[in-house]
Amino acid sequence: MAMDVIDYKIVGNDMQYVEIELDPQEAAVGEAGTMMYMEDGITMDTVFGDGSDQQKGLFGKLMGAGKRLLSGESLFTTVFVNQGQGKKHVAFAAPYPGHIVPINLPDVGGTLICQKDSFLCAAKGVSLGIAFQRKLGAGFFGGEGFIMQKLDGDGMAFVHAGGTVCQKVLAPGEVLRLDTGCLVAMEATVDFDIEYVGKLKSALFSGEGLFFATLRGPGRVWLQSLPLSRMADRIVSASRFAQGGGGREEGSLLGGLGGLLDGDNN
């Protein structure tokens, strides 16, 4: 399917939204629940899958929806079409504090691999699939990084990064280690694997977990400073503390031992 060529602007600092300008009959597809506003003349239609398989019959629709279900997303996306006269605008808002990253898919070879909860919206025609990590270690220990989304096409796509976004360019063979939740997106040429921390003391007391994500170049990667899972853990921890269920050591190994000693075993 031919891609719609869209114009856009990103508004805001830490709570951003992207406003997309559509010519008559142009369309954009958004993740369910991300639409902020749309001008009169734009029609909204909820479809199975990503909207790129709508001309392929029932089987194509089911396959598109099934891919999204496997990646942890909703079975549906929403397509916004400009049915009016002249240019119209539709905006999509980020779901939590961070930054929106615009990526022109031809600039990354037509394919982008991204975390399953980072996709925000795209030009109509961009295909949303799944990317399984081939490595056994990634499969068992990858967490957020095991099943990722794959965006294919030659149009614009927008992904959301929590906190501050960082782009790095890896040379062939160059290795970068990071927390699995901090990966937002990467080019298809980047190799992804999971690596054991190596020292039991580091695994238990560093607070970083037992495993790193290991990225090997060549290719570009986009990282986020505040993964949603990390922010959610801090909110839960603060909530328990406010209710008298935790202390300053909450979330550490000592916090767990302290809970056993003081009777906080709920």
Side-chain angles (χ1 to χ4, degrees):
M1 175 182 289
M3 305 290 163
D4 284 353
V5 180
I6 57 176
D7 297 317
Y8 70 91
K9 66 176 180 180
I10 295 174
V11 182
N13 296 312
D14 297 325
M15 290 293 292
Q16 295 185 327
Y17 69 90
V18 55
E19 182 186 79
I20 294 176
E21 183 178 86
L22 300 176
D23 291 326
Q25 300 308 311
E26 280 187 343
V29 57
E31 190 63 80
T34 60
M35 191 273 287
M36 180 179 176
Y37 63 81
M38 60 182 181
E39 294 180 346
D40 188 39
I42 292 181
T43 62
M44 180 178 69
D45 187 22
T46 301
V47 297
F48 263 126
D50 56 23
S52 65
D53 293 316
Q54 295 308 296
Q55 305 301 321
K56 297 182 180 179
L58 178 61
F59 182 74
K61 296 178 183 180
L62 292 176
M63 285 295 291
K67 291 177 181 179
R68 290 179 52 74
L69 186 63
L70 284 174
S71 65
E73 302 294 342
S74 167
L75 286 171
F76 301 92
T77 53
T78 307
V79 177
F80 300 83
V81 183
N82 180 4
Q83 302 284 13
Q85 301 295 322
K87 298 180 182 294
K88 302 293 181 179
H89 299 87
V90 58
F92 301 90
Y96 50 92
H99 293 82
I100 295 172
V101 184
I103 298 175
N104 189 29
L105 291 181
D107 294 342
V108 295
T111 299
L112 181 73
I113 309 299
C114 61
Q115 285 284 23
K116 58 191 178 184
D117 60 351
S118 64
F119 171 72
L120 187 65
C121 59
K124 175 69 180 298
V126 171
S127 175
L128 310 180
I130 56 174
F132 285 106
Q133 300 305 328
R134 299 182 301 274
K135 303 292 181 65
L136 184 63
F140 280 110
F141 306 111
E144 297 101 323
F146 175 37
I147 298 179
M148 303 180 75
Q149 282 194 331
K150 182 172 68 171
L151 309 182
D152 289 303
D154 58 7
M156 288 295 304
F158 301 88
V159 296
H160 179 254
T164 300
V165 63
C166 170
Q167 177 181 318
K168 289 186 173 293
V169 180
L170 301 181
E174 183 179 359
V175 173
L176 182 68
R177 295 178 177 87
L178 63 150
D179 182 278
T180 57
C182 289
L183 177 63
V184 177
M186 63 185 182
E187 292 185 297
T189 54
V190 176
D191 182 70
F192 176 94
D193 202 359
I194 295 296
E195 179 180 328
Y196 175 55
V197 169
K199 295 182 179 180
L200 183 61
K201 181 175 68 173
S202 297
L204 291 177
F205 295 102
S206 69
E208 301 300 334
L210 294 172
F211 301 94
F212 292 131
T214 301
L215 306 179
R216 186 181 301 273
R220 279 178 289 176
V221 300
W222 290 263
L223 313 178
Q224 58 186 355
S225 65
L226 183 60
L228 177 60
S229 58
R230 184 178 297 175
M231 182 171 64
D233 288 343
R234 293 299 179 96
I235 292 174
V236 171
S237 177
S239 175
R240 292 184 59 191
F241 177 77
Q243 296 174 10
R248 293 180 59 185
E249 70 274 40
E250 189 72 54
S252 68
L253 181 64
L254 294 178
L257 293 175
L260 292 175
L261 295 175
D262 66 15
D264 182 18
N265 299 319
N266 294 330

